[in-house]
Amino acid sequence: LGVPRQRSAVAGLLFVGLHCATGLLVASATLPFASPAAAEHYWWVLALTPVLLVVLHPRVLSPLLDRLFWMLRRPPLDRPLTFANTARACGFLLVTWLFYGLSLLALARPLGLTGAGSLALAIGAYGLAWSAGVMVLGLVPAGIGVREVVLGAILLPFLPAGAATAVVATSRVVQTLGDALWALFAGIALRGPMRRAEQRLRVDDPAPTDAAA
């Protein structure tokens, strides 16, 4: 769509970082009440929440990114990160975690996960499991295996082993299907804008002549 590569990369990395930070934030806010045992067992993961929030603050992250680009011999960011945009992104992500929790609860409730705190448990469990999977993103793709182990461990005290396993496995399938459907929808919807952006790039950056080469 004509967005510079550097800006796209920074936006993508910042999104993943904020997604992870808000996931740990909702887990820290819900699990101590919904599942004290899980909060006590994974306290060391939850303890990273304030660290991530501080690092991802624009006043901290912008100098770090500029330093990184300098080391890579790349120009600094052409547009500064702002607190307002970062806070807006976090607001949307907090709503996203609510729907993640509702998705997990829709699978777990028919198998026995009921009660007043079931939604808080579902939100916190998925937030912690997803964030833990992202933290080992360089080791396993999409946190596969890590997310399932953490999610299953949190659900086991509330569901039989077979039911917890079924919820965890089905949740991964449902999330992957959702990702694929949204990617397909976006690809179809953006075909026209992407084609026009490619044409503009060809006009703005014509092929070099033999003399210029």
Side-chain angles (χ1 to χ4, degrees), residues 5 40 42 57 129 170-171 205-206 208:
R5 294 179 182 178
E40 182 178 356
Y42 293 104
H57 192 284
T170 308
S171 177
D205 187 21

Side-chain angles (χ1 to χ4, degrees), residues 139-155:
L139 301 177
V140 292
I144 190 167
V146 178
R147 184 196 303 180
E148 283 71 25
V149 168
V150 174
L151 189 57
I154 297 175
L155 293 178

Side-chain angles (χ1 to χ4, degrees), residues 40-164:
E40 182 178 356
H41 184 74
Y42 293 104
W43 68 267
W44 53 277
V45 181
L46 299 177
L48 295 174
T49 306
V51 178
L52 281 175
L53 291 175
V54 169
V55 171
L56 291 170
H57 192 284
R59 289 189 178 181
V60 178
L61 185 60
S62 293
L64 291 177
L65 289 174
D66 289 341
R67 180 67 176 177
L68 175 62
F69 291 141
W70 178 82
M71 294 174 61
L72 296 174
R73 297 183 179 180
R74 298 286 184 180
L77 289 175
D78 58 344
R79 295 185 182 183
L81 302 175
T82 64
F83 179 79
N85 288 340
T86 303
R88 189 178 298 113
C90 288
F92 283 119
L93 285 170
L94 290 174
V95 176
T96 300
W97 288 115
L98 170 63
F99 284 97
Y100 278 138
L102 288 171
S103 173
L104 185 65
L105 187 61
L107 299 173
R109 186 181 288 270
L111 299 180
L113 184 62
T114 58
S118 57
L119 178 58
L121 176 67
I123 295 173
Y126 198 86
L128 180 61
W130 192 96
S131 300
V134 168
M135 290 177 185
V136 293
L137 189 59
L139 301 177
V140 292
I144 190 167
V146 178
R147 184 196 303 180
E148 283 71 25
V149 168
V150 174
L151 189 57
I154 297 175
L155 293 178
L156 269 179
F158 303 91
L159 291 174

Side-chain angles (χ1 to χ4, degrees), residues 197-208:
E198 291 174 356
Q199 291 173 351
R200 286 197 302 270
L201 287 175
R202 283 196 294 267
V203 171
D204 296 339
D205 187 21

